Amino acid sequence: MVLKPRPPLPNGLAIITVLKGMIGTGVLGLPYVCGKVGLALATPGMLLTALIGAFSVWRLIQCKEFIKTAARYPISAELVREFSGCGRKHNGQDYIAAEIPEPVFESDSQETYGLGPLAVVGRRAFGGWGVAIAGFGIIASQLGFALSYVAVVVETAISHEPLKSLEGGSALARTLLCMVLCILCTFRRLSTLAWFSGAALLIYIYLLGALIYFGGGELSSGAGVRGTWLPIKLEHLGSWFGTAIFAQEAIVISQYVYDDMQLSRPVDFLPVLLSSFGISATLFTFVGAFGYLCYGSDIQQVFYLNFPEDSIAVVVGEVVLCVVLVFSFALQMYPVMSFMEASLFGIYPGEGFEEQPEEESESEGSQSPSSDSSGSSDSSDRDRREPNTTRGHREPPDQEMLEYSFEDPLMTAPIRLFWRCMQGLCYVLFRWIVVIATCVAAAFIPNLSCVSGYSGSFAMSAIGFFLPALCHHRLKPGIATWKDNLGNLILLMAGISAVYFGVSSVSCD
């Protein structure tokens, strides 16, 4: 069977995909944190954060193109300059400074534990340390999304009866939610749940429309504008900055969108990048400012909790959003589960401990031990016992023992079935432990602004600010222009500021 190449992703769908990756739970807490720090700082700050975020995406794309181009054409500095501005003159000759091994990106999948293009770039630039930085940012950011989903669902549930008036309602809501999430995260293939991410985008748009409707009613009710632009309160800068990064960070999804567009020139991705970040920056700035101006100091950490409780449309929207977030939790935890299974068990997405087919085992077992070609018999036996090391598959260390035990003629079919069931049970228990630990962690950081503040300040600054700047500098040692150095310095300063304000001023009160 011949597989047809996948068609390139058009610009319009690329913009929608990036926006779908950006518009999430972070937008629900923007009015609250913008009001905390002051609109005079938050409004221009949101636009500046979006600009830096778009630049970080572009910087990482430059690193990817430099790696691919330098690997394919190691002596063509002019071609490298055309793609990423890399190359320099030394003693009158052009050359590329970085030595890039293994030009095929797919060969990195096992060394990067399936973490994707960010970890590949990190590995090519810094080896294991680069993978560690990318892995920390990716896993921590995914956990941040998962924690924010738990926070939003629990806060929504306890704002309505009967949990609102029930003593211990929060603990009951968390327990029931944890049980449902354990069941959903049992499945290793979540393609049937992927459409919930698209449904979530529609629900967020619906809630933004409700904000305009009910917020406009507050402004026209006679109370007027309740929020103010001043004063600026720097003690809440960490919560706002972290949430702004959390809401607008799209560096992971942008890399996959860029690859799917199959562009011949990276510069053709700039219209998609600028359009998506420009739309999101305008939308998020409006939501943060409008929501706080409408409700003032009464604004809740999740803005739709300010809507009238007796409105059927609001209740339906909240219920649908919570259902979507519950299913989306499993999707957000999928990279976390896959990484941990690859690290601990050597199992990658789409793989498992597959028992050898019956007919293949019989055909191999039918070989005569008195064959004339003893070398061929030894080779077949060796091939059967050696682990499969083809691209995209890695046997766990104990696979030989498992295969030997399953093929043991003394092991009956019921015993083989028992061991298979025990093996599957171990994986289920492992996933349940991860989900329970996540839900317990969510209880200690129970509100949305705390989750988004810490996740944006630490996890997303690692992959959005530190990783692109450091990798770009590493891949261009001594050949960077002053513009390159200035851009990298801006990213590093943004990352350092995010970490500093995250430590000093993010509050979970």
Side-chain angles (χ1 to χ4, degrees):
M1 182 178 64
V2 179
L3 295 178
K4 296 182 180 180
R6 185 167 49 185
L9 188 68
N11 285 13
L13 289 179
I15 294 174
I16 294 175
T17 303
V18 175
L19 285 174
K20 186 177 71 174
M22 298 176 71
I23 299 177
T25 52
V27 71
L28 301 178
L30 284 178
Y32 178 80
V33 295
C34 288
K36 283 290 186 180
V37 76
L39 294 182
L41 175 62
T43 301
M46 291 291 297
L47 300 175
L48 181 60
T49 303
L51 180 62
I52 297 176
F55 177 68
S56 70
V57 172
W58 178 246
R59 181 61 93 206
L60 194 66
I61 289 176
Q62 287 182 316
C63 293
K64 288 174 57 178
E65 290 300 323
F66 174 71
I67 291 173
K68 292 191 294 186
T69 307
R72 294 173 182 172
Y73 309 98
I75 61 173
S76 178
E78 290 298 330
L79 186 58
V80 175
R81 277 202 197 91
E82 179 182 349
F83 275 85
S84 55
C86 302
R88 63 170 176 174
K89 284 186 176 291
H90 180 70
N91 294 333
Q93 295 183 349
D94 286 323
Y95 75 100
I96 298 173
E99 296 180 359
I100 310 297
E102 302 178 14
V104 182
F105 265 54
E106 286 80 358
S107 63
D108 295 87
S109 60
Q110 295 183 354
E111 287 76 6
T112 57
Y113 302 97
L115 289 173
L118 294 181
V120 172
V121 172
R123 175 179 177 266
R124 295 303 180 91
F126 294 101
W129 283 106
V131 177
I133 296 174
F136 165 77
I138 294 172
I139 299 303
S141 62
Q142 295 302 119
L143 287 173
F145 287 127
L147 290 172
S148 69
Y149 293 172
V150 174
V152 170
V153 172
V154 171
E155 289 186 36
T156 303
I158 62 177
S159 66
H160 296 283
E161 299 293 346
L163 294 178
K164 183 177 182 180
S165 58
L166 180 65
E167 184 178 358
S170 177
L172 178 59
R174 294 182 185 279
T175 302
L176 295 176
L177 177 61
C178 184
M179 295 172 61
V180 175
L181 296 178
C182 284
I183 296 174
L184 291 177
C185 289
T186 300
F187 304 99
R188 299 188 73 242
R189 299 182 183 274
L190 299 175
S191 56
T192 56
L193 304 180
W195 68 274
F196 278 94
S197 62
L201 180 60
L202 298 178
I203 297 300
Y204 289 126
I205 294 176
Y206 172 81
L207 292 176
L208 294 179
L211 174 63
I212 296 175
Y213 177 80
F214 291 110
E218 289 288 328
L219 294 178
S220 60
S221 63
V225 177
R226 300 169 62 181
T228 59
W229 291 83
L230 293 172
I232 295 176
K233 292 163 280 191
L234 296 179
E235 62 270 19
H236 299 289
L237 184 59
S239 296
W240 166 80
F241 193 31
T243 302
I245 299 172
F246 183 83
Q248 301 188 84
E249 185 58 66
I251 191 169
V252 177
I253 187 65
S254 297
Q255 304 305 313
Y256 289 104
V257 170
Y258 172 76
D259 292 338
D260 286 345
M261 292 185 70
Q262 305 175 26
L263 300 173
S264 59
R265 298 189 310 157
V267 71
D268 294 335
F269 185 67
L270 284 177
V272 173
L273 183 64
L274 296 178
S275 298
S276 56
F277 273 82
I279 294 173
S280 66
T282 303
L283 177 63
F284 293 164
T285 302
F286 169 78
V287 170
F290 183 78
Y292 181 68
L293 289 175
C294 291
Y295 295 100
S297 59
D298 294 331
I299 188 70
Q300 299 289 324
Q301 295 204 24
V302 180
F303 69 72
Y304 62 70
L305 296 180
N306 285 94
F307 298 164
E309 295 183 5
D310 56 350
S311 173
I312 299 299
V314 173
V315 173
V316 171
E318 293 176 358
V319 171
V320 174
L321 175 63
C322 289
V323 172
V324 169
L325 291 182
V326 167
F327 281 90
S328 298
F329 178 94
L331 294 174
Q332 296 295 346
M333 290 296 290
Y334 187 74
V336 179
M337 299 295 188
S338 300
F339 170 76
M340 298 188 72
E341 288 178 350
S343 302
L344 299 177
F345 306 116
I347 299 179
Y348 292 83
E351 298 181 1
F353 296 107
E354 299 296 338
E355 189 170 3
Q356 195 173 13
E358 188 78 19
E359 57 273 11
E360 184 178 349
S361 299
E362 293 177 357
S363 64
E364 289 182 355
S366 62
Q367 294 181 354
S368 173
S370 59
S371 174
D372 295 337
S373 175
S374 60
S376 175
S377 177
D378 294 340
S379 175
S380 298
D381 184 69
R382 182 171 59 252
D383 292 341
R384 190 166 59 249
R385 295 179 184 275
E386 286 182 354
N388 183 7
T389 56
T390 57
R391 179 173 66 83
H393 181 83
R394 171 183 288 180
E395 300 280 4
D398 58 346
Q399 180 72 359
E400 293 186 20
M401 180 186 67
L402 288 172
E403 287 184 353
Y404 177 79
S405 61
F406 290 143
E407 295 174 0
D408 192 335
L410 297 179
M411 178 174 284
T412 62
I415 297 178
R416 286 198 298 269
L417 179 61
F418 171 78
W419 282 111
R420 289 293 180 185
C421 293
M422 292 298 297
Q423 185 183 37
L425 181 61
C426 288
Y427 293 141
V428 170
L429 291 178
F430 169 76
R431 286 174 170 253
W432 285 4
I433 290 173
V434 175
V435 173
I436 293 173
T438 304
C439 293
V440 171
F444 290 94
I445 40 177
N447 58 64
L448 181 60
S449 64
C450 180
V451 174
S452 59
Y454 279 121
S455 180
S457 297
F458 296 102
M460 295 190 175
S461 63
I463 58 176
F465 299 142
F466 290 111
L467 186 67
L470 294 176
C471 289
H472 189 267
H473 179 75
R474 173 70 173 177
L475 294 171
K476 300 177 61 175
I479 61 178
T481 65
W482 68 269
K483 294 181 181 179
D484 293 329
N485 292 329
L486 179 60
N488 293 335
L489 181 62
I490 291 175
L491 290 178
L492 290 176
M493 292 300 297
I496 294 172
S497 300
V499 173
Y500 172 76
F501 290 117
V503 172
S504 62
S505 58
V506 172
S507 175
C508 293
D509 296 336

